Amino acid sequence: MHRLMYTLNDLALMTMLSTRTLRTYIKKGLLQGTKRQTGWSFTETDLEHFFEEPYIKESIEIKKRALINDFVEGNNPGCACMIYDYRCENESQAQELCDKFICKINVLKGRNIRFSFAYHKKSKIGRVIFQGEARVVSKLMNQCIMEE
């Protein structure tokens, strides 16, 4: 079962966009959510609408390419970058996978893990990209894959 609400930090983790950028998108009306005492929260519907915006799609793709290029160019010595394509029968299954990764990463506070997730409807593939300390990235990936 996947989560019903996501925080601003969850969304930042999923998109690799800063919380400041996401707040700007809220002000511009590109991202809808609910302001609570504990901060912003977003439903899956809020996220679906946000991810459908062409400008947002482009911004996220640029961040993903930069993440991989930084690794390939050797800009982050001592880091590992893992890309995992996971077959998902539907969007709900893909979201469950994404939620699992977010929960695992949130437990690793302060470990500087960069994460991206995207679901491609046509190919039914969920793509996960991790970058960070090699040992931590490997452990994180193994934990999530072994649970499948």
Side-chain angles (χ1 to χ4, degrees):
M1 180 83 173
H2 47 90
R3 296 169 16 179
L4 299 176
M5 300 299 284
Y6 297 86
T7 66
L8 194 63
N9 287 334
D10 291 338
L11 187 53
L13 188 60
M14 279 189 264
T15 63
M16 291 186 293
L17 300 171
S18 70
T19 56
R20 183 177 185 169
T21 297
L22 293 170
R23 284 188 181 93
T24 299
Y25 291 157
I26 292 168
K27 287 179 186 172
K28 290 182 176 184
L30 293 169
L31 175 59
Q32 303 294 314
T34 304
K35 177 76 169 167
R36 300 176 190 260
Q37 288 181 334
T38 57
W40 284 94
S41 63
F42 308 94
T43 65
E44 287 184 26
T45 303
D46 294 333
L47 298 185
E48 286 172 15
H49 291 181
F50 179 65
F51 291 136
E52 289 172 3
E53 289 284 336
Y55 178 78
I56 301 307
K57 282 182 183 180
E58 183 180 344
S59 295
I60 293 169
E61 283 302 313
I62 289 169
K63 287 287 191 176
K64 286 182 200 175
R65 284 192 297 272
L67 177 69
I68 295 167
N69 286 338
D70 279 353
F71 177 75
V72 170
E73 297 293 325
N75 295 334
N76 295 313
C79 283
C81 184
M82 297 183 111
I83 301 171
Y84 179 67
D85 287 344
Y86 184 80
R87 181 106 173 121
C88 300
E89 291 306 315
N90 54 51
E91 206 158 346
S92 179
Q93 186 182 19
Q95 191 61 53
E96 287 178 28
L97 179 65
C98 181
D99 292 347
K100 185 189 314 183
F101 284 121
I102 289 171
C103 289
K104 298 272 186 203
I105 291 169
N106 284 337
V107 169
L108 300 172
K109 292 178 182 169
R111 290 298 188 111
N112 198 22
I113 297 290
R114 294 173 72 192
F115 165 74
S116 174
F117 180 85
Y119 177 65
H120 304 280
K121 290 180 185 178
K122 286 184 181 178
S123 60
K124 294 186 175 185
I125 297 290
R127 172 165 283 175
V128 179
I129 304 172
F130 286 113
Q131 186 184 63
E133 181 186 335
R135 182 183 53 79
V136 175
V137 168
S138 179
K139 181 179 178 181
L140 179 63
M141 195 66 132
N142 285 330
Q143 284 177 348
C144 293
I145 306 292
M146 294 308 214
E147 291 177 5
E148 290 303 315

